[in-house]
Coordinates of all heavy atoms in Angstrom, one line a residue:
T27 N -14.8 55.4 104.8 CA -14.0 55.4 103.6 C -15.0 55.4 102.4 O -16.1 54.9 102.4 CB -13.1 54.2 103.5 OG1 -14.0 53.0 103.5 CG2 -12.2 54.1 104.7
G28 N -14.5 55.9 101.3 CA -15.2 56.0 100.0 C -14.6 56.7 98.9 O -13.5 57.2 99.1
Y29 N -15.2 56.7 97.8 CA -14.7 57.4 96.7 C -15.9 57.8 95.7 O -17.0 57.2 95.8 CB -13.7 56.6 95.9 CG -14.2 55.2 95.5 CD1 -15.0 55.0 94.3 CD2 -13.9 54.1 96.3 CE1 -15.4 53.7 93.9 CE2 -14.3 52.8 95.9 CZ -15.1 52.6 94.8 OH -15.5 51.4 94.4
G30 N -15.7 58.8 94.9 CA -16.6 59.3 94.0 C -16.0 59.6 92.7 O -14.9 60.1 92.6
L31 N -16.8 59.4 91.6 CA -16.3 59.8 90.3 C -16.4 61.3 90.0 O -17.3 61.9 90.3 CB -17.2 59.1 89.3 CG -17.0 59.3 87.8 CD1 -15.7 58.7 87.3 CD2 -18.2 58.9 86.9
F32 N -15.3 61.8 89.5 CA -15.3 63.2 89.0 C -15.7 63.3 87.6 O -16.7 64.0 87.2 CB -13.9 63.8 89.1 CG -13.7 64.6 90.4 CD1 -12.4 65.1 90.7 CD2 -14.7 64.9 91.2 CE1 -12.2 65.9 91.8 CE2 -14.5 65.7 92.3 CZ -13.3 66.2 92.6
T33 N -15.1 62.6 86.7 CA -15.5 62.5 85.3 C -15.0 61.2 84.7 O -14.0 60.6 85.2 CB -14.8 63.7 84.5 OG1 -15.3 63.6 83.2 CG2 -13.3 63.6 84.5
G34 N -15.7 60.7 83.7 CA -15.4 59.4 83.2 C -16.1 59.0 81.9 O -17.0 59.8 81.5
R35 N -15.8 57.8 81.3 CA -16.4 57.4 80.2 C -16.7 55.9 80.3 O -16.0 55.2 81.1 CB -15.5 57.6 78.9 CG -15.3 59.0 78.7 CD -14.5 59.2 77.3 NE -15.4 58.7 76.2 CZ -15.5 59.3 75.0 NH1 -14.8 60.4 74.8 NH2 -16.2 58.7 74.1
N36 N -17.6 55.4 79.6 CA -18.0 54.0 79.7 C -17.5 53.2 78.4 O -17.5 53.7 77.3 CB -19.5 53.9 79.7 CG -20.1 54.2 81.1 OD1 -20.4 55.4 81.4 ND2 -20.1 53.2 82.0
V37 N -17.3 51.9 78.7 CA -17.0 50.9 77.6 C -18.1 49.8 77.8 O -18.2 49.3 78.9 CB -15.6 50.3 77.7 CG1 -15.4 49.2 76.7 CG2 -14.5 51.4 77.6
D38 N -18.7 49.4 76.7 CA -19.8 48.5 76.8 C -19.8 47.5 75.7 O -20.0 47.9 74.5 CB -21.2 49.3 76.8 CG -22.3 48.4 77.2 OD1 -22.2 47.1 77.2 OD2 -23.5 48.9 77.4
T39 N -19.5 46.2 76.0 CA -19.6 45.2 75.0 C -20.5 44.1 75.5 O -21.2 44.3 76.5 CB -18.1 44.6 74.8 OG1 -17.7 44.0 76.0 CG2 -17.2 45.6 74.3
K40 N -20.6 43.0 74.8 CA -21.6 42.0 75.1 C -21.5 41.5 76.6 O -22.5 41.5 77.3 CB -21.5 40.9 74.1 CG -22.6 39.8 74.4 CD -22.5 38.7 73.3 CE -23.6 37.7 73.6 NZ -23.5 36.5 72.6
N41 N -20.3 41.1 77.0 CA -20.2 40.5 78.3 C -19.2 41.3 79.2 O -19.0 40.9 80.3 CB -19.7 39.1 78.2 CG -20.6 38.2 77.5 OD1 -21.8 38.2 77.9 ND2 -20.1 37.3 76.7
F42 N -18.8 42.5 78.7 CA -17.8 43.3 79.5 C -18.3 44.7 79.5 O -18.6 45.3 78.5 CB -16.4 43.2 78.9 CG -15.4 44.0 79.6 CD1 -14.8 43.7 80.8 CD2 -15.0 45.2 79.0 CE1 -13.9 44.4 81.4 CE2 -14.0 46.0 79.6 CZ -13.5 45.6 80.9
K43 N -18.3 45.3 80.7 CA -18.7 46.7 80.9 C -17.6 47.3 81.8 O -17.1 46.7 82.7 CB -20.1 46.8 81.5 CG -21.2 46.2 80.7 CD -22.5 46.4 81.5 CE -23.7 45.7 80.7 NZ -24.0 46.4 79.5
M44 N -17.3 48.6 81.5 CA -16.3 49.3 82.3 C -16.6 50.8 82.4 O -17.1 51.4 81.4 CB -14.9 49.1 81.7 CG -13.8 49.7 82.6 SD -12.1 49.3 82.0 CE -12.1 50.1 80.4
L45 N -16.3 51.4 83.5 CA -16.3 52.9 83.6 C -14.9 53.3 84.1 O -14.4 52.8 85.0 CB -17.3 53.3 84.7 CG -17.2 54.8 85.1 CD1 -17.6 55.7 84.0 CD2 -18.1 55.0 86.4
Y46 N -14.3 54.2 83.3 CA -12.9 54.6 83.7 C -12.9 56.1 83.8 O -13.7 56.8 83.1 CB -11.9 54.1 82.7 CG -11.9 54.6 81.3 CD1 -11.3 55.8 81.0 CD2 -12.8 54.0 80.4 CE1 -11.3 56.3 79.7 CE2 -12.8 54.5 79.1 CZ -12.1 55.6 78.7 OH -12.2 56.2 77.5
G47 N -12.1 56.7 84.6 CA -12.0 58.1 84.7 C -11.2 58.6 85.9 O -10.3 57.8 86.4
L48 N -11.6 59.8 86.4 CA -10.9 60.4 87.5 C -11.8 60.3 88.7 O -12.9 60.7 88.6 CB -10.6 61.9 87.1 CG -10.0 62.7 88.3 CD1 -8.6 62.2 88.6 CD2 -9.9 64.2 87.9
F49 N -11.2 59.9 89.9 CA -11.9 59.7 91.1 C -11.3 60.5 92.2 O -10.1 60.8 92.2 CB -11.9 58.2 91.5 CG -12.7 57.4 90.6 CD1 -12.2 56.9 89.3 CD2 -14.0 56.9 90.9 CE1 -12.9 56.1 88.5 CE2 -14.7 56.1 90.1 CZ -14.2 55.7 88.9
Q50 N -12.1 60.9 93.2 CA -11.6 61.4 94.5 C -11.9 60.3 95.5 O -13.0 59.8 95.6 CB -12.3 62.7 94.9 CG -11.8 63.3 96.2 CD -12.5 64.6 96.6 OE1 -13.2 65.2 95.8 NE2 -12.3 65.0 97.8
H51 N -10.9 60.1 96.4 CA -11.1 59.2 97.6 C -10.9 59.9 98.9 O -10.2 60.9 99.0 CB -10.0 58.1 97.5 CG -10.1 57.3 96.2 ND1 -10.4 56.0 96.1 CD2 -9.7 57.6 94.9 CE1 -10.3 55.5 94.9 NE2 -9.9 56.6 94.1
Y52 N -11.7 59.4 99.9 CA -11.5 59.9 101.2 C -11.4 58.7 102.2 O -12.3 57.8 102.1 CB -12.6 60.8 101.6 CG -12.4 61.4 103.0 CD1 -11.4 62.3 103.3 CD2 -13.1 60.9 104.1 CE1 -11.2 62.8 104.5 CE2 -13.0 61.4 105.4 CZ -12.0 62.4 105.6 OH -11.7 62.9 106.9
N53 N -10.4 58.5 103.0 CA -10.2 57.4 103.8 C -9.9 57.9 105.3 O -9.1 58.7 105.5 CB -9.0 56.5 103.4 CG -9.2 56.1 101.9 OD1 -10.2 55.5 101.6 ND2 -8.2 56.3 101.1
Y54 N -10.6 57.2 106.2 CA -10.4 57.5 107.6 C -10.5 56.2 108.4 O -11.5 55.5 108.4 CB -11.6 58.5 108.1 CG -11.6 58.8 109.5 CD1 -10.9 59.9 110.1 CD2 -12.4 58.0 110.4 CE1 -11.0 60.1 111.5 CE2 -12.5 58.3 111.8 CZ -11.8 59.3 112.3 OH -11.8 59.6 113.6
W55 N -9.4 55.9 109.1 CA -9.4 54.8 110.1 C -8.9 55.3 111.4 O -7.9 56.0 111.5 CB -8.5 53.7 109.6 CG -9.0 52.8 108.5 CD1 -9.8 51.7 108.6 CD2 -8.7 53.0 107.1 NE1 -10.0 51.2 107.3 CE2 -9.4 51.9 106.4 CE3 -7.9 53.9 106.4 CZ2 -9.3 51.8 105.0 CZ3 -7.8 53.8 105.0 CH2 -8.5 52.7 104.3
N56 N -9.6 54.9 112.5 CA -9.3 55.4 113.8 C -9.6 54.4 114.8 O -10.8 54.3 115.3 CB -10.0 56.8 114.1 CG -9.5 57.4 115.4 OD1 -8.5 57.0 116.0 ND2 -10.2 58.5 115.8
N57 N -8.7 53.5 115.2 CA -9.0 52.5 116.2 C -7.8 52.4 117.1 O -6.8 53.2 117.1 CB -9.3 51.1 115.5 CG -8.2 50.7 114.6 OD1 -7.0 50.7 114.9 ND2 -8.6 50.3 113.4
S58 N -7.8 51.5 118.0 CA -6.8 51.3 119.0 C -5.4 50.8 118.5 O -4.4 50.9 119.2 CB -7.2 50.4 120.2 OG -7.5 49.1 119.7
T59 N -5.4 50.4 117.2 CA -4.2 49.9 116.6 C -3.5 51.0 115.7 O -2.3 51.2 115.8 CB -4.5 48.7 115.7 OG1 -5.1 47.7 116.5 CG2 -3.2 48.2 115.1
F60 N -4.3 51.7 114.9 CA -3.7 52.7 114.1 C -4.6 53.8 113.7 O -5.9 53.7 113.8 CB -3.1 52.1 112.8 CG -4.2 51.6 111.9 CD1 -4.6 52.3 110.8 CD2 -4.7 50.3 112.1 CE1 -5.6 51.8 109.9 CE2 -5.7 49.8 111.2 CZ -6.1 50.5 110.2
E61 N -4.1 55.0 113.4 CA -4.8 56.1 112.8 C -4.3 56.4 111.4 O -3.1 56.5 111.2 CB -4.7 57.3 113.7 CG -5.2 57.2 115.1 CD -4.9 58.4 116.0 OE1 -3.9 59.1 115.7 OE2 -5.6 58.6 117.0
L62 N -5.3 56.5 110.5 CA -4.9 56.8 109.1 C -6.0 57.5 108.4 O -7.1 57.0 108.3 CB -4.6 55.5 108.4 CG -4.1 55.6 106.9 CD1 -2.8 56.4 106.8 CD2 -4.0 54.2 106.3
G63 N -5.7 58.7 107.9 CA -6.7 59.5 107.2 C -6.1 60.2 106.1 O -5.0 60.6 106.1
M64 N -6.9 60.3 104.9 CA -6.2 60.9 103.7 C -7.2 61.3 102.7 O -8.4 60.8 102.7 CB -5.2 59.9 103.1 CG -5.8 58.7 102.5 SD -4.4 57.6 102.0 CE -3.6 57.2 103.5
I65 N -6.8 62.2 101.9 CA -7.5 62.7 100.7 C -6.7 62.3 99.5 O -5.5 62.5 99.5 CB -7.8 64.2 100.7 CG1 -8.6 64.6 102.0 CG2 -8.4 64.7 99.4 CD1 -8.4 66.1 102.3
T66 N -7.3 61.7 98.5 CA -6.5 61.3 97.3 C -7.3 61.6 96.0 O -8.5 61.6 96.0 CB -6.1 59.8 97.3 OG1 -7.2 59.0 96.9 CG2 -5.8 59.3 98.7
F67 N -6.5 61.8 94.9 CA -7.1 62.0 93.6 C -6.3 61.1 92.6 O -5.1 61.1 92.7 CB -7.0 63.4 93.2 CG -7.8 64.4 94.0 CD1 -7.2 65.0 95.1 CD2 -9.1 64.7 93.7 CE1 -7.9 65.8 96.0 CE2 -9.8 65.6 94.5 CZ -9.2 66.2 95.6
G68 N -7.0 60.5 91.6 CA -6.3 59.8 90.6 C -7.2 59.0 89.7 O -8.5 59.2 89.7
G69 N -6.6 58.2 88.9 CA -7.4 57.5 87.9 C -7.8 56.1 88.4 O -7.3 55.6 89.4
G70 N -8.9 55.6 87.7 CA -9.4 54.3 88.1 C -10.4 53.7 87.1 O -10.7 54.4 86.2
A71 N -10.7 52.5 87.3 CA -11.6 51.8 86.4 C -12.4 50.8 87.2 O -12.0 50.1 88.1 CB -10.8 51.0 85.3
V72 N -13.7 50.8 86.9 CA -14.7 49.9 87.5 C -15.2 49.0 86.4 O -15.7 49.5 85.3 CB -15.9 50.7 88.1 CG1 -16.9 49.8 88.7 CG2 -15.4 51.8 89.1

């Protein structure tokens, strides 16, 4: 599983920092309980 930034901008103050933008995600789970895999695109903030 993971995600990567497509494009974004930063906010930087004294004690608060943030990156927000558009991300791509890829998720893959495959075990004896469940299988779940997907490609996703959307907004996010770090």
Side-chain angles (χ1 to χ4, degrees):
T27 64
Y29 53 84
L31 176 72
F32 262 174
T33 183
R35 299 188 60 144
N36 285 91
V37 174
D38 192 348
T39 63
K40 183 178 180 181
N41 294 317
F42 177 76
K43 299 178 184 291
M44 182 173 69
L45 169 66
Y46 66 92
L48 176 65
F49 292 79
Q50 178 179 353
H51 301 248
Y52 183 71
N53 303 311
Y54 173 91
W55 285 275
N56 187 9
N57 55 49
S58 57
T59 303
F60 67 97
E61 296 172 337
L62 181 62
M64 66 185 64
I65 301 163
T66 82
F67 296 90
V72 180

